[in-house]
Amino acid sequence: MQLGVHYVDFLPGAPERLGPTLVSTAKAADDAGVEVLTLADHFFQMEDLGRATDPFLEGYTTLGYLAGVTERITLSMLVTGVTYRHPGVLAKTVTTLDVLAGGRTMLGLGAAWYEREHLALGIPYPSLSQRFEMLEETLQICLQMWSDDDGPYEGKHFQLAETICQPQPIRRPPILIGGSGEKKTLRLVAQYADAWHTSASLDELPHKVDVLRRHCDAVGRNIDEIRFTAAYINDPFSDVDEYLRTMDRYSELGVDLITTGPIPGNPDPQGWVKRLGDEVIPRLG
């Protein structure tokens, strides 16, 4: 089992402290053996975690900054909202990050959901069905740009005259799709993804895996080719033994990467991550 750290709170306070706090936390994760550091792809803080007016940094700029101060850890959005960037530009952005990070990226993608920031910033917010169509076309475009085919792409929502992407990534970024919707999301996971990220509970997860397996069978895909990742945000330090038993239960269901992180408002995210490396990671199976 591997752990990922999801950083979602930019600690309200002086802007000049946001960068140093983030860097110290990322370095602590790198040193602790955390597998992946992820950010939420938003422009406003999510209202279930704080206020929309709380400080929040744009994700890909931030990941580029972190690429220069870390050495080992994988860097990714969890997950990129498909509405925020034209897919050709997104592929180029992720490629640039991968090259500068030395092949340490992953492309997380989702259909986007935060309507308030779309409306506030003038970003079109299509219907859910349209966003899923855009998600599939974005997957196709990124895969084409990371291939030998630099010809045109003609889709319903996106048309590209050329799909040139030079340089190519050092390592083609694994594609992770986030979500647990049974009709659309899991079908896209089966068809396109290298990894699947879910927030489904342990009780729900067996059913979701069964649905994904049926989608894989329908497209002729071996489900074992897809890495299972899951969010589990419970405090690991309240009872480390119980936390590890929960990790074992996830592992039995095929999950091999758990995303966690300090709860919003934690005044010492660096110390929280260091403690994760001292008390939890060495005991993971």
Side-chain angles (χ1 to χ4, degrees), residues 178-183 185-186 196-200 205 208 211:
S180 302
E182 297 181 9
K183 292 182 179 180
T185 302
L186 293 181
W196 167 48
H197 184 77
T198 179
S199 298
L205 193 53
K208 298 295 183 181
V211 172

Side-chain angles (χ1 to χ4, degrees), residues 60-76:
Y60 277 105
T61 309
T62 304
L63 290 178
Y65 179 54
L66 295 180
V69 298
T70 55
E71 297 180 356
R72 183 200 55 79
I73 199 165
T74 297
L75 302 169
S76 181

Side-chain angles (χ1 to χ4, degrees), residues 17-18 72 93 102 116 148 157 254 272:
R17 292 301 307 153
L18 301 184
R72 183 200 55 79
T93 299
R116 178 175 177 175
D148 295 331
H157 297 278
W272 188 95

Side-chain angles (χ1 to χ4, degrees), residues 25 30 34 37 58 71 103 144 158 168 176 189 194 196 198 203 213 219 231-233 236 242 259 271 277:
T25 304
D30 211 20
V34 172
L37 176 68
E58 192 281 320
E71 297 180 356
Q144 182 168 326
F158 304 111
Q168 285 282 293
L176 175 147
V189 171
D194 302 294
W196 167 48
T198 179
D203 290 336
R213 181 174 286 105
V219 299
Y232 184 69
I233 309 299
E242 178 60 27
T259 298

Side-chain angles (χ1 to χ4, degrees), residues 217-261:
D217 290 343
V219 299
R221 180 96 185 269
N222 185 344
I223 194 173
D224 293 337
E225 297 174 1
I226 300 169
R227 185 180 194 184
F228 293 180
T229 78
Y232 184 69
I233 309 299
N234 290 35
D235 180 11
F237 308 120
S238 61
D239 187 336
V240 174
D241 290 337
E242 178 60 27
Y243 189 86
L244 293 170
R245 285 191 288 271
T246 301
M247 296 300 97
D248 288 340
R249 292 180 63 195
Y250 274 107
S251 180
E252 289 167 0
L253 294 172
V255 174
D256 71 354
L257 174 66
I258 290 291
T259 298
T260 186

Side-chain angles (χ1 to χ4, degrees), residues 7-14 17-18 21-22 25 55 264-269:
Y7 194 100
V8 295
D9 185 7
F10 292 95
L11 297 177
R17 292 301 307 153
L18 301 184
T21 301
L22 178 61
T25 304
N266 187 311
D268 184 19

